[in-house]
Amino acid sequence: MSRPIKIKKHPFPSLLYLEWTLLAITALTAVIPPPLRRFRPKPPELSICGVFPDLSVCSILPELSIYSLIIFALMGLRLPRDSQKSKVIYTVIEILLILIIGLFGERFARLFPFLYIILVTRSCLIFQLNGRLFVTILSFALFLVTTQLKYQLFNFQASPQAQERYRFLILNSSLVFGLSLVFVLLMMNAVLSERHSREKLAIANEKLRQYAMRIENQATLEERNRIAREIHDSLGHSLTALNLQLETALKLWQSNPGKAETFLATAKELGSKALKDVRQSVSTMRSNPLQEQSLERAIASLSENFHSSNGILAIYQINLEYSLPPEINTAIYRITQESLTNISKYAYATEVKLELTTTKGNLRLIIQDNGRGFDLGQNTTGFGLHSMRDRTLALGGNFNINSALGSGCKITVNIPLTRLT
């Protein structure tokens, strides 16, 4: 059950202040007497007691009108929002109060149409569109009925000329009042729609922020797992083998120095490999992998380092017609880096071809090797492939792998660039 709208939590404080202003004008109308005109008689009070002052109830009806106006004003401090039944009862009570003020309020009756405007404004805050339309139409109908009743009362004490002028005045006031209600309804619908859109946008932003935090936490966890696997698979293996080589060399140092020296040389190679793995892991974790250099130069450096480290020839062809956003540059660099790392570890390839081109509205990266390949049904869930696919999808692109045992591997990345053209 939703809580009622209270003054401290009113969604539109300015509307509440406007409502108080209209109520104050209505109240002042009853306190301040109308200005006297020298050449015109005082107009009659258009209320039941103004026409029939001898009625027995006329002595208490003015006070009833004042109390009704006070109650109507206080009702604006707490609007129902829970059940439809409470909303309907609330609106019916408001209408009854307005009718009492309009028919029996004497001086209050002069500006009682203001109360209908307040009624429509409040209905917009508690009802949906159908309820708002119904209250607006009902307000206009009650205004016409009340005005017609006043016109019948006016006929008892007015001349035919005055009746004609008053009929013309009723027509004009009815037209102005109807247009005012339509304007208030349209204005409130526009304001509420705009507020609803802002609330939905705020909720969407909050959900997006939560999703971003989840993705960031997940990415951090995956990166930690990747680093742990890197240490276990490469550095851990190298250090274990290094320890075995050193132990063997120590055992053979006195009995067979020549063979021990061979084991020491192997240990030195394993130490160099472990150091290279550490440097590669540190390079992978850098926050800005391109280090202020262009994507072409960064990929060229990757290819040169790949060739010098593994002896595998990397043929690259880069044709970029225009500069790319930083997020795309970083993603392409990381995908290329991860692909070359996988090739050096698992592919047993002798040649790698890398092609990076831009066509109309599209960026394409192709990385192909002539290694042993793998079965797509079994080896596509690794962290490296998963990371490359996620980077591509995050940019709205497509990631595709073609491989088979003994036929090498081909990775194709397509990223749309429609926002740049």
Side-chain angles (χ1 to χ4, degrees):
M1 180 181 297
S2 58
R3 297 181 178 179
I5 303 175
K6 299 181 180 179
I7 179 174
K8 293 183 179 180
K9 298 181 179 180
H10 200 282
F12 301 101
S14 58
L15 293 177
L16 190 59
Y17 302 149
L18 177 60
E19 177 181 318
W20 290 346
T21 302
L22 294 177
L23 290 171
I25 294 174
T26 306
L28 288 175
T29 305
V31 177
I32 301 176
L36 297 176
R37 299 186 181 182
R38 182 175 303 178
F39 303 105
R40 287 187 182 180
K42 178 181 177 181
E45 295 291 349
L46 299 181
S47 65
I48 293 178
C49 290
V51 179
F52 305 106
D54 297 332
L55 292 177
S56 58
V57 295
C58 288
S59 59
I60 63 172
L61 286 180
E63 295 182 0
L64 180 61
S65 300
I66 296 175
Y67 294 145
S68 299
L69 182 62
I70 294 174
I71 295 174
F72 184 84
L74 294 177
M75 289 179 66
L77 303 180
R78 188 182 179 93
L79 304 180
R81 287 201 306 180
D82 45 8
S83 64
Q84 192 72 14
K85 181 179 179 180
S86 62
K87 296 177 183 179
V88 172
I89 294 175
Y90 180 90
T91 305
V92 170
I93 294 175
E94 284 186 310
I95 293 174
L96 292 177
L97 293 175
I98 293 175
L99 292 177
I100 292 174
I101 297 170
L103 293 175
F104 309 114
E106 297 187 2
R107 291 180 181 176
F108 282 111
R110 297 173 187 167
L111 297 179
F112 88 100
F114 283 165
L115 303 182
Y116 282 119
I117 294 178
I118 297 174
L119 173 65
V120 172
T121 303
R122 292 178 181 176
S123 69
C124 291
L125 296 177
I126 63 177
F127 288 112
Q128 298 298 324
L129 181 59
N130 292 335
R132 300 169 194 172
L133 291 173
F134 178 78
V135 173
T136 302
I137 296 174
L138 180 61
S139 299
F140 184 68
L142 291 176
F143 173 81
L144 294 179
V145 172
T146 308
T147 304
Q148 183 64 25
L149 180 58
K150 288 183 178 183
Y151 174 71
Q152 297 297 332
L153 296 175
F154 184 72
N155 288 340
F156 285 102
Q157 52 183 347
S159 62
Q161 294 80 6
Q163 293 179 18
E164 185 66 26
R165 288 196 301 269
Y166 186 61
R167 188 184 300 112
F168 180 75
L169 179 63
I170 288 177
L171 180 61
N172 288 339
S173 61
S174 300
L175 180 61
V176 172
F177 179 71
L179 294 177
S180 300
L181 289 181
V182 172
F183 172 77
V184 170
L185 179 63
L186 294 177
M187 181 192 69
M188 288 299 300
N189 285 336
V191 171
L192 291 172
S193 298
E194 189 270 340
R195 183 183 181 86
H196 183 63
S197 299
R198 283 193 286 111
E199 290 177 350
K200 291 178 62 177
L201 180 61
I203 294 174
N205 288 336
E206 178 62 22
K207 290 183 178 180
L208 183 61
R209 186 186 67 83
Q210 294 177 1
Y211 293 154
M213 292 181 61
R214 292 178 185 176
I215 292 174
E216 182 179 358
N217 294 335
Q218 183 67 22
T220 302
L221 180 60
E222 290 182 351
E223 184 66 13
R224 289 175 180 174
N225 293 335
R226 190 193 67 80
I227 295 173
R229 284 195 296 268
E230 286 283 340
I231 294 174
H232 178 271
D233 295 342
S234 59
L235 186 59
H237 174 75
S238 298
L239 292 178
T240 301
L242 174 62
N243 186 50
L244 292 175
Q245 297 295 324
L246 291 175
E247 287 180 357
T248 306
L250 286 175
K251 292 178 180 179
L252 297 175
W253 180 249
Q254 298 203 2
S255 61
N256 193 347
K259 195 171 184 180
E261 186 176 351
T262 303
F263 282 103
L264 288 175
T266 304
K268 181 180 180 301
E269 293 178 0
L270 291 173
S272 299
K273 183 177 183 302
L275 181 61
K276 184 183 70 172
D277 291 339
V278 171
R279 289 175 176 173
Q280 184 175 359
S281 298
V282 172
S283 175
T284 303
M285 288 186 293
R286 280 194 311 226
S287 59
N288 185 11
L290 274 67
Q291 295 293 320
E292 304 300 331
Q293 59 184 336
S294 64
L295 181 60
E296 295 93 329
R297 182 63 256 174
I299 292 180
S301 298
L302 277 179
S303 301
E304 294 169 3
N305 295 334
F306 177 77
H307 178 63
S308 62
S309 300
N310 303 280
I312 303 175
L313 181 62
I315 303 173
Y316 59 91
Q317 179 181 355
I318 302 175
N319 183 19
L320 301 178
E321 299 180 358
Y322 38 80
S323 59
L324 303 174
E327 62 271 15
I328 294 182
N329 285 335
T330 301
I332 293 298
Y333 180 87
R334 290 300 192 193
I335 292 172
T336 304
Q337 184 183 50
E338 190 67 39
S339 298
L340 295 179
T341 300
N342 290 342
I343 291 172
S344 65
K345 287 183 177 180
Y346 312 116
Y348 296 96
T350 59
E351 184 178 275
V352 177
K353 293 182 180 180
L354 189 151
E355 181 180 353
L356 180 63
T357 58
T358 55
T359 59
K360 186 175 181 180
N362 186 68
L363 172 68
R364 171 170 291 184
L365 171 65
I366 299 176
I367 303 175
Q368 186 172 6
D369 65 76
N370 62 349
R372 61 179 183 177
F374 58 89
D375 186 0
L376 290 176
Q378 298 180 357
N379 298 314
T380 59
T381 59
F383 179 83
L385 295 176
H386 183 70
S387 175
M388 289 188 283
R389 182 179 290 106
D390 285 348
R391 292 183 185 276
T392 305
L393 296 179
L395 297 173
N398 296 319
F399 182 84
N400 186 41
I401 303 176
N402 288 323
S403 182
L405 291 175
S407 301
C409 178
K410 180 179 180 182
I411 294 176
T412 305
V413 175
N414 288 292
I415 298 177
L417 301 175
T418 54
R419 292 177 295 177
L420 303 178
T421 56

